[in-house]
Amino acid sequence: MMTVLYDKKKFAVLFFIFLLIDTVVKSNFHWPYRFISKPPVILLIIAYYYYNYSTSRGRNFSWVMLALGCFFIADLLIINRENVTLLVSSFVVYTLGKVFLCFRFSHQYDFKVSRLIPFSIVIFFYTVGLIIYIYEGLGDYFLLALISYFISLLLCQFAYLRKEAVDRKSYFYVLVGVFCYMISEGITIVNTFKTDLPFQDFCIMFFYATGIYLIVHGIVIEKRIEPKYII
């Protein structure tokens, strides 16, 4: 098992096998069975990150471990979505996990505001459009949804701004991972507060887990780029 964790290709195969098993269980069995099929998915990612992150284990390492811990707890809370208390709690914990990732992706390097503005506008209109679409179904959860998606917007921006601070491959993996996470989050929100969607059970878990995997993999292979100062 340890050799698989260190071999990135073998781990990817193992991870997506477990992910496939969980999506099948999610789509075809009652929710209690997911307490067996779902935990291994995020636990594999945690183990992969722990054993492959070679940089000094300071604050950056802790932020990611805290984020993954939050995702693991939230994954268990959201399994029984008919329980309103657990559902709300899961959204709160997911949001906290995203905050920790924002801390991980923040950096002190300069960036071009002109490059950030078009990206922020697109993400902003996506967020506003989704909130408006599900507004009637939100009821008392409007503020919670708004805060959660505001943090998602920040996470997207921080991931986008890594371009000048890390190598291209790491940047690409993390950014695509964040987009996958947001797709899953959007489908979950629409399914919970508005209406059912085609293949929603498969899409929610596939994009969510794939997003987390890509984010973590991007962090594991990350190579920092030192800023160039002009004197």
Side-chain angles (χ1 to χ4, degrees):
M1 183 64 179
M2 292 297 297
T3 56
V4 174
L5 289 174
Y6 286 114
D7 189 315
K8 295 179 176 58
K9 292 183 179 179
K10 290 182 179 178
F11 174 80
V13 173
L14 178 66
F15 171 77
F16 282 103
I17 288 174
F18 273 90
L19 176 56
L20 178 61
I21 292 172
D22 185 53
T23 54
V24 170
V25 172
K26 180 178 174 66
S27 302
N28 297 280
F29 296 92
H30 295 297
W31 63 264
Y33 289 98
R34 296 204 67 213
F35 282 108
I36 300 174
S37 67
K38 193 173 186 180
V41 175
I42 194 70
L43 287 176
L44 278 172
I45 296 179
I46 293 174
Y48 175 70
Y49 177 70
Y50 181 85
Y51 287 108
N52 286 277
Y53 187 77
S54 57
T55 311
S56 176
R57 296 189 175 185
R59 284 184 299 177
N60 284 341
F61 176 80
S62 299
W63 291 137
V64 177
M65 289 299 291
L66 287 170
L68 293 176
C70 287
F71 293 144
F72 177 73
I73 294 171
D75 280 353
L76 298 179
L77 292 173
I78 204 173
I79 287 176
N80 182 10
R81 296 172 60 186
E82 296 179 0
N83 186 309
V84 176
T85 302
L86 294 179
L87 179 65
V88 172
S89 299
S90 71
F91 276 105
V92 173
V93 181
Y94 276 129
T95 301
L96 185 59
K98 289 184 290 185
V99 171
F100 288 135
L101 285 182
C102 287
F103 290 152
R104 171 59 178 84
F105 295 146
S106 63
H107 59 79
Q108 303 299 320
Y109 299 169
D110 293 332
F111 61 89
K112 296 179 181 179
V113 177
S114 60
R115 185 167 61 86
L116 177 62
I117 291 176
F119 177 81
S120 298
I121 290 175
V122 172
I123 298 299
F124 174 78
F125 277 108
Y126 164 77
T127 302
V128 171
L130 184 61
I131 294 295
I132 291 175
Y133 178 67
I134 63 174
Y135 176 77
E136 293 182 357
L138 287 175
D140 296 333
Y141 306 112
F142 173 76
L143 183 60
L144 177 62
L146 194 63
I147 293 174
S148 178
Y149 258 86
F150 174 74
I151 300 300
S152 295
L153 175 61
L154 288 180
L155 180 59
C156 275
Q157 290 177 326
F158 279 122
Y160 182 71
L161 291 174
R162 292 173 70 249
K163 186 173 184 179
E164 306 297 333
V166 300
D167 63 288
R168 185 174 299 179
K169 185 180 291 187
S170 172
Y171 175 77
F172 174 78
Y173 274 115
V174 169
L175 191 62
V176 173
V178 170
F179 285 153
C180 286
Y181 182 93
M182 288 197 68
I183 291 173
S184 171
E185 190 176 45
I187 297 173
T188 301
I189 290 288
V190 171
N191 170 239
T192 303
F193 297 106
K194 184 70 174 182
T195 184
D196 290 337
L197 297 171
F199 309 108
Q200 60 189 19
D201 289 337
F202 171 82
C203 290
I204 288 173
M205 193 59 200
F206 175 80
F207 282 108
Y208 164 74
T210 301
I212 299 299
Y213 165 74
L214 291 175
I215 290 171
V216 170
H217 181 66
I219 294 173
V220 165
I221 65 172
E222 177 184 274
K223 295 179 182 177
R224 287 278 174 169
I225 298 176
E226 293 299 324
K228 295 180 181 179
Y229 299 102
I230 301 176
I231 301 176

